Every structure is written in structure tokens, then in C-alpha cells.
Amino acid sequence: MAEEAGAGERKVEAPPPETEGIVWREDAGRFETPDGEAFLQYRLLPGGDGGGAPPPHPAAAVMDMVHTYVPRSKRGQGLAARLCDAAFAHARGRGMRVVPTCSYISDTYLPRNPALKELVYKDHEPHPKPSSM
């Protein structure tokens, strides 16, 4: 079960060592460092049922990872990769597909972590439609 970290915050369930210290802010649609300065923003898209209807369970959704930000003062510490590790672990644990809209994720993180490409939403799957987050 998720550990409560405050209103609207939850620690990532059973975090692997590389995601330690990353907080899932479900209400804000992001994973972030405890100080909130570095973050990965996402939005949920309905699952690929082809009809555009919201999935019956959030696990059927697609996670569109739209932006990763690390302030200049904290760059070079691997924070962007740790944020991605947490987001991909979250998606995998919930049976979700991901859309790597963020250029850091598509151009840097995924090439460095090719095993995670199996979670990427494929072009031949029915296209997800943006939710009204």
C-alpha cells in the first residue's frame, strides 16, 4: 500500500533504490523531488479501446510524459533519470503504456534504458485521446 506523505502526495510504492526520495503527486500529475524543484510532469490519456471512452480502471490508461525539469543548480546529479525511473516504475506497476513526449525521455533516457521501450505506446495500437485533466 502507498505510504501517505501529505495531502495529495504519496511516496512511490516499494521504490527501487534509484527512485528513493522521489514523491508521486497524483493531484498535480507529477513526480518530483521532496522540495518540488525538479519534476516530471505527466498527463493520463484514456486506454486504447478505440472509442475514446475513459478506461474502467486507471491501470488501463496511457501515461503521457510531457516534461522533465531540473533547475540549473541541481543538474548533473542524475535527478532527471531518477524522476524517469520513478515514473516508469509507476507505469509498469499499474500496467500502463507510456508516451515519451518529453525530448529528454525520448532522446536520452530511453536510449540509455532500452528494456523500458516495451512500455512505450506503439503506433499500431489505437491512438489515445487527451483526457480533460
Side-chain angles (χ1 to χ4, degrees):
M1 173 129 341
E3 175 185 329
E4 291 298 322
E9 296 182 5
R10 286 191 257 179
K11 286 282 190 184
V12 175
E13 291 180 335
E18 63 274 10
T19 66
E20 192 172 314
I22 302 299
V23 178
W24 173 35
R25 295 239 357 255
E26 183 176 16
D27 61 320
R30 60 194 246 172
F31 292 86
E32 61 186 34
T33 52
D35 61 11
E37 290 185 15
F39 61 87
L40 183 152
Q41 188 78 40
Y42 70 89
R43 64 186 178 147
L44 294 181
L45 306 175
D49 69 351
H57 185 275
V62 174
M63 181 185 280
D64 183 3
M65 298 181 184
V66 295
H67 185 61
T68 305
Y69 175 76
V70 176
R72 190 173 305 277
S73 63
K74 295 186 177 199
R75 292 183 186 164
Q77 301 174 30
L79 288 177
R82 287 180 44 218
L83 290 163
C84 291
D85 290 340
F88 273 83
H90 175 88
R92 173 175 274 150
R94 286 159 180 75
M96 302 169 104
R97 293 285 199 198
V98 301
V99 175
T101 301
C102 170
S103 61
Y104 168 77
I105 296 171
S106 62
D107 300 346
T108 304
Y109 182 77
L110 282 172
R112 291 179 182 170
N113 298 276
L116 294 174
K117 289 182 181 179
E118 70 185 34
L119 296 178
V120 174
Y121 193 85
K122 308 289 188 292
D123 286 339
H124 65 274
E125 296 178 63
H127 290 287
K129 294 178 177 52
S131 66
S132 56
M133 274 185 74

Short mmCIF file of all heavy atoms in Angstrom, two decimals, residues 18-51:
data_model
loop_
_atom_site.label_atom_id
_atom_site.label_comp_id
_atom_site.label_asym_id
_atom_site.label_seq_id
_atom_site.Cartn_x
_atom_site.Cartn_y
_atom_site.Cartn_z
N GLU A 18 17.01 3.41 -7.05
CA GLU A 18 17.22 4.57 -7.92
C GLU A 18 16.07 5.57 -7.88
O GLU A 18 16.19 6.67 -8.41
CB GLU A 18 17.52 4.14 -9.36
CG GLU A 18 16.41 3.38 -10.03
CD GLU A 18 16.43 1.88 -9.77
OE1 GLU A 18 17.20 1.42 -8.92
OE2 GLU A 18 15.66 1.17 -10.43
N THR A 19 14.93 5.22 -7.26
CA THR A 19 13.80 6.16 -7.17
C THR A 19 13.63 6.72 -5.76
O THR A 19 12.70 7.47 -5.51
CB THR A 19 12.48 5.50 -7.62
OG1 THR A 19 12.15 4.46 -6.70
CG2 THR A 19 12.58 4.97 -9.03
N GLU A 20 14.52 6.36 -4.86
CA GLU A 20 14.41 6.82 -3.48
C GLU A 20 14.38 8.35 -3.43
O GLU A 20 15.14 9.03 -4.10
CB GLU A 20 15.61 6.30 -2.69
CG GLU A 20 15.46 6.46 -1.20
CD GLU A 20 16.57 5.75 -0.47
OE1 GLU A 20 16.87 4.60 -0.81
OE2 GLU A 20 17.12 6.38 0.45
N GLY A 21 13.49 8.87 -2.63
CA GLY A 21 13.38 10.32 -2.48
C GLY A 21 12.52 11.00 -3.52
O GLY A 21 12.37 12.21 -3.49
N ILE A 22 11.93 10.26 -4.42
CA ILE A 22 11.03 10.84 -5.42
C ILE A 22 9.60 10.68 -4.92
O ILE A 22 9.21 9.61 -4.47
CB ILE A 22 11.20 10.16 -6.79
CG1 ILE A 22 12.65 10.28 -7.29
CG2 ILE A 22 10.21 10.73 -7.80
CD1 ILE A 22 13.15 11.69 -7.50
N VAL A 23 8.83 11.75 -4.99
CA VAL A 23 7.46 11.77 -4.49
C VAL A 23 6.49 11.79 -5.67
O VAL A 23 6.68 12.54 -6.62
CB VAL A 23 7.23 13.02 -3.61
CG1 VAL A 23 5.79 13.10 -3.12
CG2 VAL A 23 8.20 13.04 -2.43
N TRP A 24 5.45 10.96 -5.59
CA TRP A 24 4.39 10.96 -6.60
C TRP A 24 3.31 11.91 -6.11
O TRP A 24 2.70 11.69 -5.07
CB TRP A 24 3.84 9.55 -6.77
CG TRP A 24 2.63 9.47 -7.67
CD1 TRP A 24 2.38 10.22 -8.78
CD2 TRP A 24 1.52 8.59 -7.53
NE1 TRP A 24 1.18 9.85 -9.36
CE2 TRP A 24 0.63 8.85 -8.60
CE3 TRP A 24 1.19 7.60 -6.62
CZ2 TRP A 24 -0.55 8.16 -8.78
CZ3 TRP A 24 0.01 6.91 -6.79
CH2 TRP A 24 -0.85 7.18 -7.86
N ARG A 25 3.05 12.98 -6.85
CA ARG A 25 1.99 13.93 -6.55
C ARG A 25 0.87 13.69 -7.53
O ARG A 25 0.78 14.34 -8.57
CB ARG A 25 2.51 15.36 -6.66
CG ARG A 25 3.56 15.71 -5.63
CD ARG A 25 3.28 16.85 -4.70
NE ARG A 25 2.05 17.57 -4.88
CZ ARG A 25 1.96 18.78 -5.42
NH1 ARG A 25 3.01 19.42 -5.84
NH2 ARG A 25 0.79 19.37 -5.52
N GLU A 26 0.03 12.75 -7.22
CA GLU A 26 -1.06 12.35 -8.10
C GLU A 26 -1.96 13.54 -8.45
O GLU A 26 -2.36 13.70 -9.60
CB GLU A 26 -1.87 11.24 -7.44
CG GLU A 26 -2.97 10.70 -8.32
CD GLU A 26 -3.71 9.53 -7.68
OE1 GLU A 26 -3.58 9.32 -6.46
OE2 GLU A 26 -4.41 8.82 -8.41
N ASP A 27 -2.25 14.38 -7.47
CA ASP A 27 -3.13 15.53 -7.69
C ASP A 27 -2.55 16.52 -8.70
O ASP A 27 -3.29 17.20 -9.41
CB ASP A 27 -3.43 16.25 -6.37
CG ASP A 27 -2.16 16.80 -5.71
OD1 ASP A 27 -1.12 16.11 -5.73
OD2 ASP A 27 -2.21 17.92 -5.16
N ALA A 28 -1.23 16.61 -8.79
CA ALA A 28 -0.57 17.54 -9.70
C ALA A 28 -0.12 16.87 -10.99
O ALA A 28 0.36 17.54 -11.90
CB ALA A 28 0.64 18.18 -9.01
N GLY A 29 -0.25 15.55 -11.07
CA GLY A 29 0.18 14.82 -12.26
C GLY A 29 1.68 14.90 -12.45
O GLY A 29 2.17 15.17 -13.54
N ARG A 30 2.41 14.66 -11.36
CA ARG A 30 3.87 14.73 -11.49
C ARG A 30 4.59 13.91 -10.43
O ARG A 30 4.04 13.58 -9.39
CB ARG A 30 4.35 16.17 -11.50
CG ARG A 30 4.03 16.99 -10.31
CD ARG A 30 4.26 18.47 -10.58
NE ARG A 30 5.35 18.98 -9.77
CZ ARG A 30 5.89 20.19 -9.89
NH1 ARG A 30 5.47 20.99 -10.83
NH2 ARG A 30 6.84 20.58 -9.11
N PHE A 31 5.84 13.62 -10.77
CA PHE A 31 6.79 13.01 -9.85
C PHE A 31 7.78 14.13 -9.57
O PHE A 31 8.16 14.86 -10.49
CB PHE A 31 7.49 11.81 -10.48
CG PHE A 31 6.55 10.66 -10.70
CD1 PHE A 31 5.79 10.58 -11.85
CD2 PHE A 31 6.41 9.67 -9.74
CE1 PHE A 31 4.90 9.54 -12.05
CE2 PHE A 31 5.52 8.62 -9.93
CZ PHE A 31 4.77 8.56 -11.09
N GLU A 32 8.22 14.26 -8.31
CA GLU A 32 9.10 15.37 -8.00
C GLU A 32 10.04 15.03 -6.86
O GLU A 32 9.83 14.06 -6.12
CB GLU A 32 8.30 16.62 -7.66
CG GLU A 32 7.40 16.46 -6.47
CD GLU A 32 6.50 17.67 -6.23
OE1 GLU A 32 6.08 18.33 -7.20
OE2 GLU A 32 6.23 17.96 -5.05
N THR A 33 11.07 15.86 -6.72
CA THR A 33 11.95 15.75 -5.58
C THR A 33 11.18 16.28 -4.37
O THR A 33 10.20 17.03 -4.53
CB THR A 33 13.24 16.56 -5.81
OG1 THR A 33 12.89 17.90 -6.19
CG2 THR A 33 14.11 15.94 -6.89
N PRO A 34 11.58 15.92 -3.14
CA PRO A 34 10.83 16.38 -1.97
C PRO A 34 10.65 17.90 -1.90
O PRO A 34 9.64 18.38 -1.40
CB PRO A 34 11.65 15.85 -0.80
CG PRO A 34 12.28 14.60 -1.34
CD PRO A 34 12.62 14.95 -2.78
N ASP A 35 11.60 18.67 -2.42
CA ASP A 35 11.47 20.13 -2.39
C ASP A 35 10.62 20.67 -3.55
O ASP A 35 10.33 21.85 -3.62
CB ASP A 35 12.84 20.81 -2.39
CG ASP A 35 13.68 20.50 -3.63
OD1 ASP A 35 13.15 19.93 -4.61
OD2 ASP A 35 14.88 20.84 -3.61
N GLY A 36 10.22 19.78 -4.49
CA GLY A 36 9.36 20.18 -5.60
C GLY A 36 10.06 20.93 -6.71
O GLY A 36 9.44 21.32 -7.69
N GLU A 37 11.38 21.13 -6.60
CA GLU A 37 12.10 21.92 -7.60
C GLU A 37 12.37 21.16 -8.89
O GLU A 37 12.36 21.75 -9.97
CB GLU A 37 13.41 22.45 -7.02
CG GLU A 37 13.19 23.51 -5.96
CD GLU A 37 14.49 24.11 -5.48
OE1 GLU A 37 15.53 23.93 -6.14
OE2 GLU A 37 14.46 24.77 -4.43
N ALA A 38 12.62 19.88 -8.81
CA ALA A 38 12.84 19.05 -10.00
C ALA A 38 11.62 18.16 -10.14
O ALA A 38 11.11 17.62 -9.15
CB ALA A 38 14.11 18.21 -9.86
N PHE A 39 11.12 18.01 -11.38
CA PHE A 39 9.90 17.23 -11.54
C PHE A 39 9.77 16.65 -12.94
O PHE A 39 10.42 17.09 -13.88
CB PHE A 39 8.66 18.09 -11.24
CG PHE A 39 8.51 19.29 -12.15
CD1 PHE A 39 7.84 19.18 -13.36
CD2 PHE A 39 9.05 20.51 -11.79
CE1 PHE A 39 7.70 20.28 -14.20
CE2 PHE A 39 8.91 21.62 -12.63
CZ PHE A 39 8.24 21.50 -13.84
N LEU A 40 8.91 15.64 -13.03
CA LEU A 40 8.49 15.06 -14.31
C LEU A 40 6.98 15.23 -14.35
O LEU A 40 6.28 14.71 -13.48
CB LEU A 40 8.87 13.58 -14.40
CG LEU A 40 8.53 12.88 -15.72
CD1 LEU A 40 9.51 11.74 -15.96
CD2 LEU A 40 7.12 12.35 -15.77
N GLN A 41 6.49 15.98 -15.32
CA GLN A 41 5.06 16.25 -15.47
C GLN A 41 4.46 15.22 -16.43
O GLN A 41 5.06 14.92 -17.47
CB GLN A 41 4.85 17.66 -16.04
CG GLN A 41 3.41 18.11 -16.06
CD GLN A 41 2.92 18.55 -14.69
OE1 GLN A 41 3.65 19.21 -13.95
NE2 GLN A 41 1.71 18.19 -14.34
N TYR A 42 3.29 14.69 -16.11
CA TYR A 42 2.61 13.74 -16.99
C TYR A 42 1.13 14.06 -17.04
O TYR A 42 0.61 14.81 -16.23
CB TYR A 42 2.84 12.30 -16.53
CG TYR A 42 2.12 11.95 -15.25
CD1 TYR A 42 0.81 11.46 -15.26
CD2 TYR A 42 2.73 12.11 -14.01
CE1 TYR A 42 0.14 11.16 -14.08
CE2 TYR A 42 2.07 11.81 -12.83
CZ TYR A 42 0.78 11.33 -12.87
OH TYR A 42 0.12 11.03 -11.71
N ARG A 43 0.47 13.48 -18.02
CA ARG A 43 -0.99 13.53 -18.07
C ARG A 43 -1.47 12.15 -18.47
O ARG A 43 -0.78 11.43 -19.21
CB ARG A 43 -1.51 14.60 -19.03
CG ARG A 43 -1.13 14.37 -20.46
CD ARG A 43 -1.56 15.53 -21.32
NE ARG A 43 -1.12 15.26 -22.68
CZ ARG A 43 -1.77 15.62 -23.76
NH1 ARG A 43 -2.90 16.29 -23.66
NH2 ARG A 43 -1.32 15.34 -24.95
N LEU A 44 -2.62 11.78 -17.97
CA LEU A 44 -3.18 10.47 -18.30
C LEU A 44 -4.08 10.59 -19.51
O LEU A 44 -4.90 11.50 -19.59
CB LEU A 44 -3.96 9.91 -17.11
CG LEU A 44 -3.13 9.57 -15.88
CD1 LEU A 44 -4.03 9.00 -14.79
CD2 LEU A 44 -2.01 8.60 -16.21
N LEU A 45 -3.91 9.66 -20.42
CA LEU A 45 -4.76 9.57 -21.60
C LEU A 45 -5.59 8.30 -21.45
O LEU A 45 -5.12 7.32 -20.85
CB LEU A 45 -3.91 9.47 -22.86
CG LEU A 45 -2.88 10.58 -23.07
CD1 LEU A 45 -2.04 10.28 -24.30
CD2 LEU A 45 -3.56 11.91 -23.21
N PRO A 46 -6.80 8.28 -21.97
CA PRO A 46 -7.60 7.05 -21.89
C PRO A 46 -6.86 5.90 -22.56
O PRO A 46 -6.05 6.11 -23.47
CB PRO A 46 -8.88 7.39 -22.65
CG PRO A 46 -8.94 8.87 -22.67
CD PRO A 46 -7.50 9.35 -22.66
N GLY A 47 -7.16 4.69 -22.13
CA GLY A 47 -6.57 3.50 -22.73
C GLY A 47 -6.99 3.32 -24.16
O GLY A 47 -7.84 4.04 -24.67
N GLY A 48 -6.40 2.38 -24.83
CA GLY A 48 -6.62 2.19 -26.26
C GLY A 48 -7.81 1.33 -26.61
O GLY A 48 -7.66 0.31 -27.25
N ASP A 49 -9.01 1.75 -26.19
CA ASP A 49 -10.19 0.97 -26.57
C ASP A 49 -10.74 1.41 -27.92
O ASP A 49 -11.68 0.83 -28.44
CB ASP A 49 -11.29 1.07 -25.50
CG ASP A 49 -11.92 2.46 -25.42
OD1 ASP A 49 -11.40 3.39 -26.06
OD2 ASP A 49 -12.94 2.59 -24.72
N GLY A 50 -10.15 2.47 -28.51
CA GLY A 50 -10.56 2.92 -29.82
C GLY A 50 -11.75 3.86 -29.79
O GLY A 50 -11.96 4.64 -30.70
N GLY A 51 -12.54 3.85 -28.72
CA GLY A 51 -13.73 4.68 -28.66
C GLY A 51 -13.52 5.99 -27.94
O GLY A 51 -14.37 6.84 -27.94
#
